[in-house]
Amino acid sequence: MSHPIHVPNSEKFDAAKGVLLKNVFSVAAAVGLLGAGVVYFANKELFAHVWLFAFMYFFTVLCGCFFWNCVHHATDSEWSVVIRRQIENLASLLRYVALFFIPIALCVTILYVWYTKTPQTDASLAGTKGLYLNKPFFWFRAIAFFGLLALLPHILRKRSMAQDKDGAALHTIIMRKVAILGIPTLAICLTFSGIDWLKALNHHWFSTMWGVYLFAGAAGASMALIILVVSWLKKLGYLTVVNDEHYHLMGKWLLAFTVFWAYIGFSQYMLITYANLDEETIYFRVRNTGSWNYLSHLLVFGRFFFMFVPLLFQGLKKSKLINFTAVWILAMQFLDIFLIVIPEWSPVGFSFRAALASIFPWLGIGGCLGLLFLRTLGEGYLFPTKDPRLAESLKASN
Amino acid sequence: MSKRLHAIGAEFESAAEIYHAAEKVRDAGYTAWDCHSPFPIHGLDKAMGMRKSWLSAFVFVCGLTGFLTGLGLVTVTSFGIYPIIVNGKPIDWSHGIRALQFFFPVMYELTILFSAFGATFGMILRNGLPRFHHPLFNWSRFAKVTDDKFFLVIETRDPLFSDAKAKALLAEIGGKHVTEVFDHD
């Protein structure tokens, strides 16, 4: 407070500095897509499931980034201005995810049993469930999700970059309105896409906590991704405006969503356990027996207990160790989505074949999105240079 | 009863003034001194050279105590002294330890309860509260601290304290109404 604030110079990404990562992404994309192709010809059913896993991994993480973008504007945050452009860049990648949905659309009859049934052949679709689970409405929803999730982050990023030029406060006011609209939009899109694409893998099963469970994992994992992107840019010598106070704040969110994920995950487990209905318990009956049970335990301990105590410490949040916890949380998101999708393909137990096969689409989609991210990075400044709250963000303190 | 000097106090007009004054008092090496303001000032703790509070460690210990209390409460009652089958939950140690998740809400709630108590009461005790009176209330101008004035006070218990030097320092850094505050009227 009261120290003179020096307006920092705007930073622009020099593509030459990102060559190493670009090569890594290119190799990952090539190996991944090639490997996914091999899986497709070896076993179409396995391919459909591992591709769905990889797609949902990146879809949920990018939705989480859009959430952080909306929260920043809706709450008029000051501290996150310096990292906001990276959140916008990540969230704007949602424009491209529809592309990676194509294989799922082509394999829809393999993945979703209900899709091949009619109310005449499956009694469970005869009631109100049939009003929701029917072909035209399924495709309408998919188009709506991709349309809305492409449009809103795009508007936020475009407005933010326009503000870099003229510095008008009007952009901030418009972004706030879009963001306030964006939160319920995201909640609806993430919940119902989770129901359509994951929960409907077994259309008899239901859980009232499904949407919020996916959201809790996604928001934490996306904050981990944001931390890694910021750390990478700092390592290249950019984003000198981000200091340990900002890391402390990002680490606090990481802790908050580690706890929130456990809270929601446990609530889902407890509600299903105590109600003890066959349609609900099937999910945990599969995942808490045999070899899946070990991975379920690893998820509970890895995603929550191992992270909870270290993240309590201020020193860790302000040090480079936060990057390791971020990598670990992204790995746990991998395990989380893996445990949601793959047991539907292999209910009897862990499949090493599926674990190996799931790496390829993950690398493929991740590599492609990484390359697209590097391209968006060069389109504007690396932090909002003329944001009205930049000065407050520079002197953020906990 | 004879009056005893409690501290030398000075008044400041703005948050910026007291912020810079605090930096100078910190650099002069004083330890037993404090700033009083009508509202929280961001970064003042750093300007005063204050270290991170140990309250968080106390809260952690309280939370851990709460967790272990909850763990003891559910296991001893359910597997030890009152083994009654409720909702099909296990009633003996060997099964119970592997199915602790069903008892988790109790441990979780007690962790939060004890942490919250630790934070609230730890903060109150750490601040030397409750107390009925404070010598600074003997200084009539100090009432303005709840309105629009800022006060910096150097206490006599500071090892570096000397009446003249403290007064000179407070005047030099821009303090107005430099006043001797006694422990009673």
Side-chain angles (χ1 to χ4, degrees):
Chain A
M1 111 125 256
S2 327
H3 288 299
I5 294 287
H6 304 288
V7 178
N9 294 325
S10 56
E11 290 174 356
K12 199 133 191 179
F13 186 70
D14 174 13
K17 283 197 178 178
V19 163
L20 177 68
L21 202 62
K22 193 175 178 181
N23 291 340
V24 170
F25 284 143
S26 307
V27 171
V31 170
L33 293 178
L34 210 67
V38 172
V39 176
Y40 177 78
F41 288 109
N43 187 335
K44 282 196 180 67
E45 209 178 314
L46 175 60
F47 167 80
H49 283 87
V50 292
W51 189 276
L52 176 68
F53 147 75
F55 171 80
M56 285 312 289
Y57 179 91
F58 290 102
F59 178 73
T60 50
V61 170
L62 293 180
C63 280
C65 293
F66 177 48
F67 166 74
W68 292 115
N69 199 353
C70 289
V71 165
H72 170 90
H73 292 297
T75 60
D76 271 344
S77 296
E78 290 170 353
W79 71 273
S80 47
V81 170
V82 289
I83 60 162
R84 200 187 71 217
R85 179 56 43 77
Q86 298 318 315
I87 302 176
E88 286 162 354
N89 285 342
L90 288 167
S92 74
L93 293 178
L94 281 167
R95 299 182 266 187
Y96 303 112
V97 291
L99 205 63
F100 302 106
F101 190 73
I102 292 169
I104 298 169
L106 295 175
C107 292
V108 70
T109 51
I110 301 174
L111 285 167
Y112 306 111
V113 175
W114 71 264
Y115 195 86
T116 59
K117 300 277 172 74
T118 60
Q120 286 76 39
T121 55
D122 186 333
S124 72
L125 292 174
T128 43
K129 197 178 262 188
L131 294 177
Y132 183 82
L133 286 183
N134 58 64
K135 290 176 193 179
F137 195 26
F138 175 82
W139 294 114
F140 169 79
R141 286 194 303 267
I143 292 165
F145 300 150
F146 287 126
L148 287 167
L149 290 177
L151 182 68
L152 294 179
H154 179 68
I155 295 174
L156 287 179
R157 182 163 174 271
K158 220 177 131 190
R159 279 282 166 187
S160 176
M161 302 224 302
Q163 195 174 46
D164 280 353
K165 295 200 177 71
D166 57 18
L170 179 70
H171 296 301
T172 300
I173 294 163
I174 290 172
M175 283 190 282
R176 185 188 309 152
K177 286 179 177 154
V178 173
I180 289 169
L181 192 72
I183 290 176
T185 307
L186 175 71
I188 289 168
C189 287
L190 190 58
T191 301
F192 287 100
S193 63
I195 289 171
D196 279 3
W197 303 335
L198 293 178
K199 203 160 89 172
L201 284 168
N202 176 353
H203 68 281
H204 297 293
W205 180 63
F206 60 88
S207 158
T208 49
M209 306 279 303
W210 192 242
V212 69
Y213 176 75
L214 288 176
F215 162 74
S222 57
M223 184 46 81
L225 182 63
I226 292 161
I227 289 174
L228 290 181
V229 167
V230 170
S231 293
W232 172 68
L233 285 169
K234 275 186 85 71
K235 205 178 159 211
L236 293 184
Y238 297 111
L239 289 184
T240 45
V241 287
V242 178
N243 59 36
D244 59 351
E245 294 290 333
H246 299 110
Y247 270 95
H248 188 186
L249 284 154
M250 290 192 280
K252 280 180 181 176
W253 277 120
L254 215 51
L255 173 65
F257 273 89
T258 297
V259 177
F260 187 64
W261 176 88
Y263 184 80
I264 296 300
F266 180 75
S267 299
Q268 172 172 264
Y269 180 86
M270 193 174 69
L271 287 175
I272 288 177
T273 302
Y274 281 114
N276 201 18
L277 301 170
D278 280 349
E279 310 90 284
E280 292 184 358
T281 50
I282 179 73
Y283 182 83
F284 288 113
R285 246 191 354 257
V286 170
R287 286 159 185 81
N288 286 1
T289 47
S291 44
W292 286 127
N293 197 22
Y294 296 106
L295 284 180
S296 294
H297 276 73
L298 176 64
L299 181 65
V300 171
F301 283 91
R303 183 74 171 82
F304 176 63
F305 287 101
F306 295 164
M307 285 290 101
F308 175 65
V309 175
L311 279 173
L312 285 176
F313 292 93
Q314 212 182 90
L316 180 136
K317 283 178 267 198
K318 288 181 173 177
S319 76
K320 287 200 163 34
L321 287 173
I322 189 78
N323 295 320
F324 291 103
T325 64
V327 169
W328 178 259
I329 283 172
L330 283 170
M332 283 299 119
Q333 176 74 359
F334 186 108
L335 180 60
D336 196 1
I337 305 287
F338 185 82
L339 266 177
I340 289 168
V341 178
I342 305 301
E344 297 299 331
W345 179 74
S346 165
V348 288
F350 175 71
S351 155
F352 185 73
R353 204 152 52 112
L356 189 69
S358 63
I359 305 282
F360 293 109
W362 188 82
L363 283 178
I365 299 176
C368 293
L369 286 171
L371 289 173
L372 290 165
F373 173 73
L374 287 180
R375 214 183 64 179
T376 58
L377 205 56
E379 286 170 4
Y381 297 135
L382 290 177
F383 61 89
T385 311
K386 286 188 180 166
D387 189 285
R389 291 195 173 78
L390 181 61
E392 275 84 15
S393 181
L394 292 173
K395 57 185 185 185
S397 83
N398 283 281
Chain B
M1 232 165 99
S2 65
K3 282 185 181 180
R4 201 174 58 81
L5 187 63
H6 170 72
I8 305 291
E11 189 180 311
F12 293 86
E13 288 296 321
S14 70
E17 272 183 34
I18 197 165
Y19 184 92
H20 293 302
E23 287 176 327
K24 284 169 191 148
V25 176
R26 171 195 70 193
D27 295 341
Y30 286 99
T31 47
W33 60 287
D34 209 351
C35 294
H36 303 266
S37 93
F39 48 80
I41 302 171
H42 274 301
L44 188 63
D45 49 341
K46 274 184 191 148
M48 290 175 68
M50 286 169 82
R51 296 242 189 93
K52 184 183 167 300
S53 158
W54 278 99
L55 188 62
S56 54
F58 183 64
V59 173
F60 181 76
V61 172
C62 287
L64 199 62
T65 310
F67 178 77
L68 294 175
T69 306
L71 185 67
L73 185 69
V74 291
T75 52
V76 171
T77 52
S78 300
F79 315 148
I81 48 184
Y82 305 115
I84 300 166
I85 299 176
V86 179
N87 279 340
K89 284 190 281 194
I91 53 162
D92 60 293
W93 290 97
S94 59
H95 289 93
I97 292 301
R98 277 176 284 164
L100 271 180
Q101 68 268 35
F102 300 116
F103 301 93
F104 209 78
V106 177
M107 303 175 225
Y108 164 77
E109 296 292 349
L110 281 184
T111 308
I112 291 176
L113 182 71
F114 278 47
S115 305
F117 280 161
T120 310
F121 296 115
M123 180 273 291
I124 287 172
L125 290 175
R126 184 74 187 75
N127 285 333
L129 295 170
R131 58 185 297 167
F132 297 111
H133 190 66
H134 195 279
L136 284 174
F137 298 151
N138 297 332
W139 182 14
S140 57
R141 294 197 69 85
F142 191 74
K144 282 270 190 189
V145 77
T146 60
D147 184 8
D148 61 349
K149 291 288 188 280
F150 303 80
F151 294 87
L152 199 157
V153 177
I154 302 176
E155 294 180 15
T156 49
R157 64 189 168 90
D158 194 301
L160 289 182
F161 185 84
S162 100
D163 202 343
K165 273 190 194 160
K167 276 181 188 163
L169 177 66
L170 286 173
E172 183 197 317
I173 60 182
K176 297 192 184 68
H177 305 284
V178 177
T179 311
E180 293 178 332
V181 183
F182 292 93
D183 59 352
H184 61 88
D185 285 330

